[in-house]
Amino acid sequence: QVQLVESGGDSVHTGGSLKLSCTGSGGAYSRLYMAWFRQAPGKEREGVAAIDGRGGTTYNSSVEGRFTISQDNEKMSLYLQMDSLKSEDTAVYFCAADLSYYGRSYALHPGRYNYWGQGTQVTVSS
């Protein structure tokens, strides 16, 4: 069983930067497949970025070029560097993980991840 805890969410102005962190615990694994999702009030949860444990990444087109996902396998940690933030980036951001790999086509699909964090709030104002 894997437990995930996010941190780093804050309130910033348009154009600012934040770095989110996610720390895993509850077991030792050779590799975790992890991703970031976000959900704004009244909207469905959407995939932001995913990483396959070997350096391969997948990004939502709305954040590509502005956000960077990275992973520390030994520490079971996940990070999301967010630059050039926009008001539409405002949401609760969730960390997700799974022990299995299903290919890049499923990387941003929330249903393929079995483990989730509690979320951290990111607010971007003009």
Side-chain angles (χ1 to χ4, degrees):
Q1 185 176 352
V2 176
Q3 293 178 297
L4 305 172
V5 179
E6 304 97 333
S7 63
D10 206 345
S11 179
V12 299
H13 292 293
T14 298
S17 297
L18 284 174
K19 186 173 183 178
L20 305 183
S21 298
C22 172
T23 300
S25 63
Y29 307 96
S30 61
R31 181 177 294 109
L32 285 175
Y33 301 97
M34 306 184 76
W36 288 99
F37 291 80
R38 65 186 181 186
Q39 187 167 20
K43 297 184 178 180
E44 295 184 348
R45 187 170 299 186
E46 68 172 357
V48 177
I51 192 164
D52 64 9
R54 296 178 181 271
T57 57
T58 303
Y59 292 93
N60 186 305
S61 61
S62 67
V63 306
E64 191 165 15
R66 299 188 297 119
F67 292 9
T68 303
I69 188 171
S70 60
Q71 180 180 39
D72 186 331
N73 290 324
E74 294 184 359
K75 297 181 179 179
M76 296 180 63
S77 297
L78 182 73
Y79 308 96
L80 185 67
Q81 177 65 48
M82 305 185 292
D83 298 318
S84 301
L85 284 163
K86 306 174 181 179
S87 60
E88 51 263 46
D89 294 318
T90 295
V92 176
Y93 283 70
F94 297 90
C95 173
D98 202 271
L99 302 179
S100 300
Y101 179 66
Y102 298 97
R104 293 183 64 184
S105 295
Y106 296 89
L108 297 181
H109 193 294
R112 63 84 77 232
Y113 295 96
N114 287 316
Y115 306 103
W116 293 82
Q118 83 289 349
T120 185
Q121 178 70 50
V122 172
T123 301
V124 184
S125 61
S126 60

